[in-house]
Amino acid sequence: MEIPVTVAKKAYKKPFTKRVYPYLFIMPFALLVLVFFILPAIATIIMSFTDLNASMKINFVGFENFKRIFSDYSMPQILWNTFVFAGITLAFSLFFGLFISIATQYFLKGSFSAVIYRVLWLIPSIIPAVVYVTFWKYLFDPTGEGWLNKIALFFQPDGDPISWFTKIAMAVVIIATIVSTTSGGMILLSAAISSIPEDLYKAAKVDGASEKSVITKIILPSLKWPLMYITISDLIGFVSSYFFILLLTNGGPMRDTTTLSLYAYQQAFNLKYYGYGAALSLVVVLISLILTLWLLRLFDFDEMIKPSRIED
């Protein structure tokens, strides 16, 4: 006698409590992102369309703040300062990070001197910013008590102390920023180089490859991902940063070291033009976005994320 099948299979349904757990875990972080990132960003966008100032009365003025940016007589010099500061700092920071990581992780790998050298470069990035800036102020002090002026006066006792922050203010700011930021890229690139299998080096040496070929044909192609990340993150950081410049020169002398981010800060918090400062901040974000998209295209990001052609 055949027994009819009357009980249909039911699809497994996860209990309600288990479905809620993931959302409960991410809810605190989502709230933090909402409160500290999304809401301030929305407030900045709204503020950029107002003439909010020290009186704290909000009047919507449409695109007047953005029109003011184009008519601001200081803007050409400020944009040039931003370009010079971000471009030169990025180039040298990347070069030194790459040079130190290859030198210590390939040529001096495992040696005590390599560890000491990397630690020395880490010191500027771990000491407090105020202490770090104080060191540079003493180093380039325009009086005879400054360290560089003491050296200069030792060789030329009849000379006058050099006013470094007047003659080469932008160079001082760039040098201080490079020394402080090189260690970040150095750490990432050193980790990437250490992950390259030693067998590749040995096989290349057996085939007669020179050190230059090992660096250009094995090491550098393996660093494309970290180099792209460091380039984009550092460039965005340099375009939007103003902290060291504020502490070292406050944008002076005149506006010789004023970048766009520092100018936005000065307009918003020194002169109390909050609406205009917000509009300038949005321009900084727009420039960072354009540069990021350009760099992604330059590094051929679409090709990098394609699946490997190697078949299983």
Side-chain angles (χ1 to χ4, degrees), residues 14 23 27-28 68 80 85 126 129 157 180 187 201 216 224 239 247 264:
K14 190 181 287 186
Y23 298 101
M27 186 177 294
R68 182 180 166 187
W80 173 250
F85 171 74
I126 59 177
S180 176
I187 293 172
Y201 299 143
T216 56
K224 199 170 183 181
V239 170
L247 294 177

Side-chain angles (χ1 to χ4, degrees), residues 201-211 213-214:
Y201 299 143
K202 294 176 182 177
K205 295 290 177 63
V206 170
D207 291 340
S210 62
E211 298 291 4
S213 297
V214 172

Side-chain angles (χ1 to χ4, degrees), residues 146-203:
W147 294 351
L148 286 183
N149 275 331
K150 282 184 178 179
I151 297 173
L153 292 175
F154 177 80
F155 291 102
Q156 193 175 2
D158 297 332
D160 294 325
I162 301 172
S163 181
W164 302 101
F165 285 106
T166 302
K167 294 188 174 181
I168 55 167
M170 180 58 85
V172 174
V173 169
I174 289 174
I175 293 171
T177 308
I178 290 172
V179 175
S180 176
T181 55
T182 295
S183 59
M186 178 194 70
I187 293 172
L188 290 177
L189 293 173
S190 296
I193 293 175
S194 67
S195 66
I196 299 174
E198 289 285 340
D199 293 343
L200 289 178
Y201 299 143
K202 294 176 182 177

